[in-house]
Amino acid sequence: MANRKYIVGNWKMNGLHAQLTDIADIAAIAANQKGADVGICPPVTLIAAAAEANPDFAIGAQDCHSSESGAHTGCLSTAMLKEAGASYSILGHSERRADQQESDADVKAKAESVHAAGLGAIICVGETEEERDAGQAIDIVTVQLARSFPAGASADWLTIAYEPVWAIGTGRVPETSDVAEMHAAIRAKLAELMGQGSDAVRILYGGSMNGNNAEELLAVPNVDGGLVGGASLTAAKFGPIIEAAAT
């Protein structure tokens, strides 16, 4: 049986208080599209207000720290995010792996902390253009997944997002055959890492998904949804993706 589609908007470093109306509009669309699960990960400054204004809509975070507390200036613990109203967090996004030098071990520790706090985790994996051109994409991604994989993983709280780094925000999208090959490789690695229950872990595609290509991408085997960047910032752009997932 196919997994229920899951569409998550990653707002990255976008959104001020005025954009709370956009989240409300997106939440309204999601409420009318019963066939898919939908969420938004706004900047942390909007989590509490967004969660309070939309209590039935899944608001998430874009990152967390693996420690419960301590001398970590500028960081946020899972307990803080949960108290603010986040129910899950994106972890190991390629931008953080590159810009903040996050390692696979960091991502694993964060995922285990998220789970301990009772939150969901979306672990991101993906290859660079140079790695793909060198024919290393599948090896890079499956090793990254294995090294980032948390103990006690379960489909109840873990989601994987495949994001070809070279396709994020560029408008470039891999051929559907390449997406199918990678998602199949991730599915096989999950079976190796988890055994029973691995088929229920949802694998999202992230990389320039929009209203024009969502239907085609979401029809690819083992693509259980999307992690959407720029196209998630407004209801007008995000709505068609939600509708494609729901139908």
Side-chain angles (χ1 to χ4, degrees):
M1 183 179 293
N3 290 328
R4 180 179 170 87
K5 300 297 188 187
Y6 186 24
I7 304 295
V8 179
N10 177 16
W11 276 24
K12 307 186 180 184
M13 198 171 70
N14 297 289
L16 300 174
H17 195 270
Q19 277 69 59
L20 287 171
T21 56
D22 291 299
I23 295 178
D25 291 342
I26 291 167
I29 293 172
N32 289 325
Q33 299 292 330
K34 305 296 186 182
D37 297 324
V38 183
I40 289 287
C41 296
V44 70
T45 52
L46 295 184
I47 289 176
E52 183 177 359
N54 306 279
D56 297 321
F57 187 58
I59 299 298
Q62 298 175 19
D63 183 50
C64 72
H65 198 280
S66 59
S67 297
E68 294 181 8
S69 61
H72 305 291
T73 301
C75 298
L76 296 167
S77 71
T78 53
M80 293 171 181
L81 295 173
K82 184 175 183 179
E83 185 176 66
S87 56
Y88 59 100
S89 181
I90 297 169
L91 303 170
H93 191 280
S94 62
E95 290 159 0
R96 292 199 59 85
R97 287 181 185 264
D99 297 345
Q100 279 74 40
Q101 291 79 53
E102 288 189 4
S103 67
D104 295 332
D106 293 330
V107 177
K108 178 180 179 180
K110 289 181 178 188
E112 291 172 352
S113 180
V114 161
H115 176 47
L119 304 179
I122 300 175
I123 292 180
C124 301
V125 293
E127 83 283 0
T128 65
E129 187 172 26
E130 293 76 17
E131 290 164 343
R132 173 160 285 277
D133 289 344
Q136 300 173 334
I138 288 178
D139 287 342
I140 291 292
V141 169
T142 53
V143 168
Q144 199 175 56
L145 175 60
R147 291 176 176 173
S148 303
F149 203 72
S154 165
D156 294 340
W157 61 274
L158 179 66
T159 299
I160 305 300
Y162 165 59
E163 40 163 24
V165 177
W166 47 273
I168 299 171
T170 65
R172 293 183 59 194
V173 181
E175 296 293 332
T176 53
S177 58
D178 294 329
V179 175
E181 181 183 38
M182 184 62 77
H183 278 243
I186 292 172
R187 181 69 68 198
K189 178 57 71 171
L190 285 172
E192 179 183 318
L193 294 168
M194 291 178 61
Q196 188 173 7
S198 61
D199 285 348
V201 175
R202 292 187 284 195
I203 307 172
L204 313 184
Y205 171 78
S208 296
M209 180 179 282
N210 56 53
N212 294 325
N213 62 26
E215 184 175 358
E216 181 181 20
L217 286 167
L218 291 168
V220 174
N222 290 305
V223 174
D224 301 316
L227 181 60
V228 184
S232 70
L233 294 174
T234 66
K237 291 183 177 180
F238 203 32
I241 300 174
I242 296 170
E243 292 165 7
T247 57

